[in-house]
Amino acid sequence: PLLRSLLCAAEERAAAGGGRKVGKAAYKLRRRLLGALLATFPADLRSLPPRLRPAAAARPWEAWGWLPPLHPPEAFGEAMEMEWHSPSPAEVAAAAEMCFASLERAEKLAAEVGAGGVDAVPEARLRRALLELR
């Protein structure tokens, strides 16, 4: 909620002519938020699978140089017993809400361009819309 309100305030300020730097920072924040909300990554980055960790803690020299099988690629994940973080439905919903809001603004702008031509819309608004969709 705090980041969303900060993002909305920055976008409103940029839309009111608050400067290109504010708008650019808001678009970078939006892009990074979307990346963080929708990322899939390993939940644990240790180099040993869970079944070997207790032995390695007691006698680390026995686990020195242990390598999981590299071929076929599926064997690596099975040998490491990796758990992956995938986006929750709430994270996907928050990202979708951000995207839908951007698309709605772009559709309104496209309707204005379609009704009055490209010259009817200020260049700054076109630039902001393109940066937001980027």
Side-chain angles (χ1 to χ4, degrees), residues 12 39 48 72 74 101 117 120 124 134:
E12 287 174 9
L48 290 174
E74 299 83 28
R134 184 174 79 170

Side-chain angles (χ1 to χ4, degrees), residues 80-105:
M80 290 299 292
E81 301 171 17
M82 295 177 81
E83 293 182 19
W84 292 84
H85 169 269
S86 57
S88 68
E91 291 170 330
V92 172
E97 181 182 328
M98 289 174 60
C99 289
F100 289 146
S102 296
L103 289 173
E104 284 178 1
R105 285 191 290 271

Side-chain angles (χ1 to χ4, degrees), residues 47-123:
S47 60
L48 290 174
R51 70 183 186 293
L52 295 179
R53 288 182 195 147
R59 297 183 300 243
W61 59 86
E62 289 182 1
W64 184 264
W66 180 84
L67 289 174
L70 299 177
H71 297 286
E74 299 83 28
F76 177 80
E78 292 170 7
M80 290 299 292
E81 301 171 17
M82 295 177 81
E83 293 182 19
W84 292 84
H85 169 269
S86 57
S88 68
E91 291 170 330
V92 172
E97 181 182 328
M98 289 174 60
C99 289
F100 289 146
S102 296
L103 289 173
E104 284 178 1
R105 285 191 290 271
E107 286 176 353
K108 287 180 185 175
L109 187 63
E112 288 179 30
V113 168
V118 177
D119 295 332
V121 179
E123 183 180 341

Side-chain angles (χ1 to χ4, degrees), residues 10-59:
E11 288 174 349
E12 287 174 9
R13 182 162 181 180
R20 290 178 58 184
K21 289 185 178 183
V22 173
K24 189 173 181 179
Y27 303 136
K28 284 182 179 181
L29 176 62
R30 174 185 296 278
R31 185 172 63 236
R32 290 187 177 135
L33 279 174
L34 287 173
L37 286 171
L38 300 175
T40 299
F41 52 88
D44 191 5
L45 298 176
R46 297 185 203 179
S47 60
L48 290 174
R51 70 183 186 293
L52 295 179
R53 288 182 195 147
R59 297 183 300 243

